[in-house]
Structure formats: C-alpha cells, structure tokens
C-alpha cells in the first residue's frame, strides 16, 4: 500500500518536488527499520501432527524461524514453498537459540549465523 501511494504521489503534478522527496525518504526509512528488527514471541505450531509451543524468531523481512521450547525441533519458513522446513544441524539450532536470546535481551547483540539463504528458498528466491 505504501509503494502504491508513493507511486500515485510521484505522478501528481500538484505535489511539490520537496514533498515527493520527503515521501521517498520516509518510505526508505520505514523499510530500513523493518530490515533491522529482531523479534521473538511464543506461539503454537502443528509439527508432525502435534501442537507444540514454539519460540518464533523474526529477522526483519528476511527470515522467520520457529524452535520448540526444548530446542528439539527447529524450523524455518520457506517463502517459495510457503511451508516450514526443518533445520537439522546442531550448530544452526544453537545459533537460532542464540538469536532468540538476543531478541529477548538475555545476551548482548552479536553475530548469528543461521541458514537465511535456505529460508529464502533453495534458489535464493
């Protein structure tokens, strides 16, 4: 909706160049803020036919992950398949837990290495 409104404003001759510029910068700042967010929340997800409580981890608009509270099951949302994919590597599961702890402010921010490319699809879609 924001892009559509911005497009409409750009086509109007009664809107000043300064206002058009302000609107572009405002949209850019909003989108940049989305890219820098890290959020976590608790919810439920059906995994292997069973309802489980999970911690979701959302990294801006880049990736969405879920991890069972016992860390036994870790998942990532595959955008191209529109379904969850399992994360099997122990190191990736640990990094996901680290990301959740960072989002909860239990530990200070630091670099996390989790399979974002996989979350975007096998072809980087």
């Amino acid at each position: 909706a924001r892009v559509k409104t911005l497009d409409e404003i750009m086509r109007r001759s009664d809107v000043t160049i300064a206002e058009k510029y302000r609107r572009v910068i405002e949209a850019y700042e909003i989108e940049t803020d989305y890219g820098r967010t890290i959020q976590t929340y608790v919810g439920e997800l059906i995994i292997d036919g069973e309802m489980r409580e999970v911690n979701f981890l959302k990294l801006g608009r880049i990736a969405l992950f879920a991890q069972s509270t016992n860390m036994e099951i870790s998942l990532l949302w595959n955008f191209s398949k529109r379904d969850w994919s399992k994360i099997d590597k122990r190191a990736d599961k640990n990094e996901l837990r680290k990301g959740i702890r960072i989002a909860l402010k239990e530990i200070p921010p630091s670099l996390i290495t989790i399979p974002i490319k996989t979350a975007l699809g096998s072809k980087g879609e």
Side-chain angles (χ1 to χ4, degrees), residues 3-88:
V3 172
K4 184 179 178 182
T5 302
L6 191 58
D7 186 50
E8 290 169 2
I9 288 170
M10 292 301 136
R11 296 174 193 273
R12 291 179 42 193
S13 61
D14 63 325
V15 178
T16 67
I17 298 288
E19 178 62 14
K20 290 177 181 180
Y21 179 76
R22 187 189 71 75
R23 293 287 191 100
V24 167
I25 295 301
E26 179 183 64
Y28 178 77
E29 287 174 346
I30 290 168
E31 291 301 316
T32 301
D33 285 344
Y34 279 128
R36 288 187 288 197
T37 60
I38 180 170
Q39 298 174 302
T40 189
Y41 55 95
V42 177
E44 292 183 333
L45 193 60
I46 297 174
I47 304 170
D48 298 329
E50 183 181 331
M51 185 66 76
R52 291 193 171 239
E53 186 174 277
V54 297
N55 293 306
F56 289 98
L57 178 66
K58 182 180 174 192
L59 300 176
R61 293 187 182 193
I62 308 273
L64 178 63
F65 298 90
Q67 188 172 63
S68 60
T69 51
N70 65 0
M71 288 182 52
E72 182 181 311
I73 299 171
S74 297
L75 307 164
L76 57 90
W77 180 251
N78 186 311
F79 292 105
S80 60
K81 293 181 181 178
R82 306 205 49 80
D83 197 9
W84 293 99
S85 299
K86 286 193 176 180
I87 298 173
D88 294 322

Side-chain angles (χ1 to χ4, degrees), residues 40 97-109:
T40 189
R97 178 64 189 144
K98 182 178 167 184
I100 291 167
R101 293 187 66 212
I102 290 169
L104 290 170
K105 298 184 181 357
E106 293 178 355
I107 61 174

